[in-house]
Amino acid sequence: MTKITIEGNNLLSGEIKISGAKNSAVALIPAAVLSKEKSVIYNIPEIRDIEYLIKIMELLDCKIEYKNNALYIDSSNLKNKAIPEELSVQMRASYYFMGALLAKFGRVEMSFPGGCNIGARPIDIHVKGFQQLGAKVEIIKNRYIITADKLIGKKIYFDFPSVGATINIMLAATGAEGTTIIENAAMEPEIVNVASFLINMGVKIRGAGTKKIEIEGTKELNNGVCEVFSDRIECGTYIIIGALLGKNLTIKGVIKEHLEAFLMKLKEVGVKYCIKGDTLTISKTENLKPTYIKTLVFPGFPTDLQQPFTTLLTQANGKSIVEETIYENRFKNTYDLNRMGAITNIISLNKLEVNGPRKLHGTNVIATDLRGGASLLIAALVAEGITEIDNSDVILRGYSEVIRKLENVGAKIKITE
Ligand code: EPU
């Protein structure tokens, strides 16, 4: 089990460069199977989920080369094979092979995807979408067998603007006859990133980034090139670290349009920063104010920054409220935050009260999920003394080169297997 050890309470200065977005990259890689030949995806983050996606691509006989954070994918010999459970459960994003292989071969067989344990996370909206395009979905125990003689473009309405379902139906719709319209689509930047890649391969897509997306099915998709957007969640996490410990900490690769709600909340709690182009400079803020945050779909406050932001609120003067509306189980980090000296109380199923400011102290903690792990990592950087974070593999699933990046700006951090 991987353990991160941090000696906290050191100011951090220097530069941190944000990597490519996990949640874009993990969709762009499966999307590459749609190309009849070669694709290149630039700015791939160095995270564990990518390693497992590459294993699945290789299982399907794609040739993969990884050089200077670019992934060169040759899918000209692609074969349709069942994806074994030991690979699909390694991450949530394995579900994108459902849409991609269905479009390409009219058949997919794989197990229910994995991912962080932050709620039930059903995939009923994906399944309903595939069925509306004409696919038959059989679920035998944990195995999904999705088949279609022919996919036909339809107007599909999502009961909830799911990120995964929007991308999966976009992928499947590339293989459908006619036009598919997704109403109440998710608007997250990941959707735009994937749509741009598909457009580059020759698919006609309109409206990605809005509530209504139109996709025209296309016979053969050409070579594709794209660049993974900078990771808004990684970026937000380092901005929080800067607000707590920065000494002119510079963060490069900021896309402020992807972080509006988060940046507004930072201003509300009194954090000052300076943005020039894609570079943000931030120093430790004294006298943070409490606030209320409510997670929402994009462009609302992102659920993936809720747990890191909670750690910031442990340092604010007074009572804050955090309302989580996307997942049922995203307060697990608070158990260990409290053991480090925070005072947080779950006041109802989806509401948390955070009382600050509290001096945090180092202790042994366990990362239960990716962003919960990030929340503890931030707490460990702030805390007096030494914190050991067990099960840190979950943090490496989403934060590219996190040890090197923090060490470079002066953090006392090490990792042991
Ligand atoms: N939902 C359903 N049915 C579905 C799909 C979703 O009920 O068919 C529910 C989920 O259970 C959840 C909510 O809708 O309560 C949102 O789910 P969504 O489908 O939008 O999320 P996702 O595709 O499973 C992606 C990211 C998550 C991120 C969310 C929201 C990937 C691989 N994961 O998940 O990332 O929280 O979108 O932005 O892209 C993370 O990075 O830590 C992370 C969890």
Side-chain angles (χ1 to χ4, degrees):
M1 198 154 59
T2 307
K3 185 192 285 179
I4 293 179
T5 307
I6 293 176
E7 190 184 326
N9 204 17
N10 292 298
L11 290 182
L12 306 176
S13 54
E15 185 181 295
I16 293 177
K17 167 111 179 57
I18 301 305
S19 299
K22 160 184 160 290
N23 291 343
S24 280
V26 297
L28 290 165
I29 296 170
V33 305
L34 291 168
S35 159
K36 67 177 192 290
E37 281 174 20
K38 292 183 181 163
S39 312
V40 191
I41 308 173
Y42 295 104
N43 201 25
I44 294 278
E46 290 182 29
I47 53 174
R48 294 265 159 106
D49 280 13
I50 302 287
E51 293 169 23
Y52 285 109
L53 282 173
I54 291 177
K55 284 189 182 156
I56 298 179
M57 297 290 276
E58 286 175 340
L59 170 92
L60 301 174
D61 288 346
C62 285
K63 265 203 224 118
I64 307 265
E65 204 188 329
Y66 178 75
K67 224 173 27 195
N68 300 329
N69 287 100
L71 211 53
Y72 298 82
I73 302 167
D74 180 347
S75 46
S76 51
N77 287 318
L78 184 78
K79 306 261 175 352
N80 194 13
K81 297 183 197 167
I83 300 170
E85 183 163 19
E86 60 267 27
L87 286 179
S88 64
V89 297
Q90 297 296 340
M91 84 224 99
R92 187 86 188 144
S94 55
Y95 57 25
Y96 291 131
F97 287 101
M98 289 182 173
L101 293 176
L102 183 64
K104 187 101 181 180
F105 297 109
R107 188 178 200 283
V108 198
E109 187 178 336
M110 65 171 282
S111 302
F112 192 79
C116 287
N117 180 8
I118 48 181
R121 309 185 80 183
I123 56 167
D124 54 310
I125 303 171
H126 307 232
V127 166
K128 200 168 148 194
F130 296 142
Q131 287 167 331
Q132 283 174 295
L133 293 179
K136 184 171 152 217
V137 182
E138 283 176 276
I139 307 168
I140 303 167
K141 289 192 179 151
N142 215 13
R143 243 161 137 80
Y144 283 67
I145 301 165
I146 311 174
T147 47
D149 293 336
K150 191 155 94 174
L151 294 169
I152 297 179
K154 279 272 160 56
K155 188 164 189 168
I156 294 172
Y157 170 78
F158 283 167
D159 293 324
F160 179 85
S162 152
V163 171
T166 301
I167 294 177
N168 236 340
I169 298 308
M170 266 190 343
L171 297 175
T174 63
E177 246 179 53
T179 304
T180 299
I181 299 174
I182 307 174
E183 295 279 5
N184 199 27
M187 301 194 288
E188 271 71 359
E190 298 79 281
I191 317 289
V192 179
N193 216 169
V194 175
S196 315
F197 189 34
L198 297 175
I199 291 168
N200 185 270
M201 287 187 208
V203 186
K204 289 205 176 81
I205 301 182
R206 288 176 292 277
T210 74
K211 292 228 135 296
K212 178 176 176 174
I213 306 179
E214 289 182 40
I215 309 110
E216 281 179 33
T218 311
K219 279 260 172 321
E220 278 204 319
L221 274 64
N222 302 317
N223 297 346
V225 181
C226 74
E227 178 161 348
V228 183
F229 289 166
S230 172
D231 194 314
R232 63 197 167 102
I233 307 301
E234 186 199 14
C235 183
T237 304
Y238 286 119
I239 294 175
I240 290 171
I241 292 173
L244 291 167
L245 295 156
K247 193 174 161 202
N248 286 320
L249 184 72
T250 300
I251 300 167
K252 277 192 92 67
V254 181
I255 305 177
K256 68 175 192 307
E257 292 75 11
H258 291 178
L259 279 166
E260 293 291 5
F262 166 78
L263 292 173
M264 300 285 274
K265 281 291 161 186
L266 273 188
K267 278 202 175 143
E268 234 174 82
V269 299
V271 173
K272 294 199 175 61
Y273 53 81
C274 166
I275 298 192
K276 277 199 192 119
D278 76 342
T279 304
L280 181 145
T281 308
I282 190 164
S283 291
K284 176 175 174 164
T285 305
E286 305 290 348
N287 295 318
L288 287 168
K289 288 180 271 197
T291 191
Y292 162 71
I293 63 164
K294 179 176 181 173
T295 63
L296 289 168
V297 296
F298 190 83
F301 189 96
T303 172
D304 296 341
L305 281 172
Q306 179 265 104
Q307 292 162 301
F309 207 90
T310 295
T311 306
L312 179 78
L313 294 177
T314 66
Q315 303 307 301
N317 283 294
K319 185 182 8 170
S320 297
I321 299 290
V322 176
E323 187 175 350
E324 172 59 60
T325 74
I326 308 294
Y327 295 109
E328 317 83 271
N329 209 352
R330 229 176 188 183
F331 292 145
K332 283 194 280 186
N333 54 320
T334 60
Y335 173 76
D336 271 335
L337 277 183
N338 287 355
R339 289 184 56 250
M340 294 178 75
I343 300 184
T344 71
N345 300 304
I346 299 173
I347 50 176
S348 68
L349 272 182
N350 69 342
K351 270 198 189 147
L352 179 77
E353 186 181 280
V354 185
N355 294 287
R358 297 288 300 169
K359 260 202 173 343
L360 302 181
H361 51 80
T363 185
N364 289 10
V365 296
I366 299 177
T368 53
D369 55 87
L370 165 59
R371 309 301 172 189
S375 148
L376 297 178
L377 183 112
I378 300 167
L381 289 167
V382 173
E384 288 280 356
I386 292 177
T387 304
E388 290 187 347
I389 309 174
D390 270 322
N391 198 35
S392 285
D393 293 84
V394 292
I395 300 174
L396 307 181
R397 284 195 39 220
Y399 289 91
S400 186
E401 300 176 90
V402 58
I403 308 296
R404 184 188 62 74
K405 287 184 187 184
L406 285 170
E407 223 168 28
N408 279 353
V409 294
K412 292 190 178 153
I413 182 167
K414 69 171 191 206
I415 188 160
T416 45
E417 291 287 336

